[in-house]
Amino acid sequence: MDVNILYGKEARPLSDRKDSGLYLIMAKTNKIVEEGVQTDYTSVIVSYSNGIDSTGALYWALQEFPKEKIFLLYCDTGFEYPENIRMFYKTAEFIGVRSVLLQHPKGFLGLLLEERFKWPDMKNRWCTAYFKTGVTDKWIRVSRELLGDFTCHWYRPCLDYEKGRMFEWGKKLHLEPHFCYEYPGRCSCMACLFMSDRHAVENMKRYPDQIEPFIEAEIRLAHT
């Protein structure tokens, strides 16, 4: 699987890298370390969606690690709010951390129509596997020159925190909540399977041009 990667705003596929096949034997990257946070990490990657939970994770990381080690990473699924990428870069620049944007080269529609042929559902969330964990794991494995020699640990620092605390942490960073919290109450893809029908309909009203190709795909596949 190739991955389009943008440092700042310049993209190139990972397959173009000379070292793209060197580190694929690295251990799986989602190991949760029970003994807690270490202090000698060569790099810290914050997976960022513009939502309040990932804003809380960014706040946590900034309390634990120097900015110079932090990468703010955004995975563009191809089904995001059109404002999201601009907001992501603005946040990274404002906070003073390095930005990394990852994209599956086929995007959501391409993968749906050419390979998957069915929409994601609760039992098969292939959208997350392909567009988030897959491209992130790939990038980590081939980026040791950038990230340093490491064993990758996975932390979920905000898992048990209340949403109210996340909003407070966002205020401490002087970051405004994503505008979608005005109506869905959850920052996700524009028609996430976890989204209520009411919220999906509201997005259809607000973004008809962006939603129309996905409606046409639904008709073409005869699958909802």
Side-chain angles (χ1 to χ4, degrees):
M1 177 183 68
D2 289 344
V3 178
N4 290 335
I5 178 173
L6 292 87
Y7 297 112
K9 298 182 181 180
E10 181 178 352
R12 61 184 175 130
L14 275 180
S15 58
D16 288 350
R17 292 173 56 102
K18 294 181 180 180
D19 58 350
S20 61
L22 293 180
Y23 304 113
L24 296 182
I25 60 173
M26 193 184 90
K28 189 170 178 60
T29 61
N30 63 349
K31 180 180 179 182
I32 299 175
V33 182
E34 296 180 356
E35 58 267 28
V37 178
Q38 299 179 17
T39 60
D40 58 348
Y41 292 117
T42 57
S43 55
V44 177
I45 304 163
V46 178
S47 180
Y48 193 73
S49 68
N50 291 301
I52 201 63
D53 290 342
S54 57
T55 299
L58 174 59
Y59 177 86
W60 173 87
L62 289 167
Q63 308 312 303
E64 299 287 345
F65 307 102
K67 288 183 181 181
E68 293 75 20
K69 290 188 176 184
I70 296 177
F71 293 83
L72 197 65
L73 182 145
Y74 180 78
C75 295
D76 178 15
T77 66
F79 205 174
E80 306 290 328
Y81 292 95
E83 298 90 347
N84 273 16
I85 292 178
R86 176 184 56 80
M87 294 174 66
F88 160 70
Y89 282 125
K90 184 178 179 180
T91 296
E93 183 178 5
F94 176 73
I95 296 297
V97 295
R98 285 173 285 184
S99 61
V100 179
L101 187 147
L102 301 180
Q103 299 167 319
H104 190 289
K106 287 191 175 182
F108 192 102
L109 272 179
L111 203 62
L112 173 66
L113 294 173
E114 297 173 20
E115 294 187 26
R116 301 303 303 185
F117 308 115
K118 290 184 178 181
W119 293 85
D121 56 34
M122 297 291 287
K123 293 183 178 180
N124 187 5
R125 292 175 59 185
W126 59 260
C127 48
T128 299
Y130 277 88
F131 300 124
K132 295 187 177 182
T133 56
V135 295
T136 300
D137 282 359
K138 171 77 172 182
W139 176 70
I140 290 173
R141 284 176 166 82
V142 301
S143 299
R144 289 204 176 202
E145 182 178 341
L146 175 68
L147 299 174
D149 191 17
F150 61 87
T151 298
C152 188
H153 295 158
W154 177 32
Y155 289 103
R156 303 174 71 183
C158 303
L159 187 63
D160 298 323
Y161 293 154
E162 295 179 354
K163 183 175 291 187
R165 180 181 290 189
M166 302 297 100
F167 281 107
E168 288 301 318
W169 284 1
K171 289 180 181 179
K172 289 183 178 181
L173 293 177
H174 304 287
L175 297 175
E176 293 293 329
H178 193 285
F179 58 84
C180 71
Y181 287 106
E182 298 173 4
Y183 58 102
R186 183 175 185 274
C187 188
S188 60
C189 297
M190 293 183 66
C192 178
L193 61 95
F194 293 110
M195 183 179 290
S196 69
D197 291 345
R198 176 172 61 88
H199 296 150
V201 169
E202 182 64 26
N203 275 341
M204 292 171 67
K205 293 178 180 178
R206 295 186 181 214
Y207 299 97
D209 294 339
Q210 286 78 17
I211 295 292
E212 183 177 3
F214 296 90
I215 296 175
E216 293 174 353
E218 186 176 43
I219 295 172
R220 175 178 169 183
L221 295 173
H223 180 265
T224 300

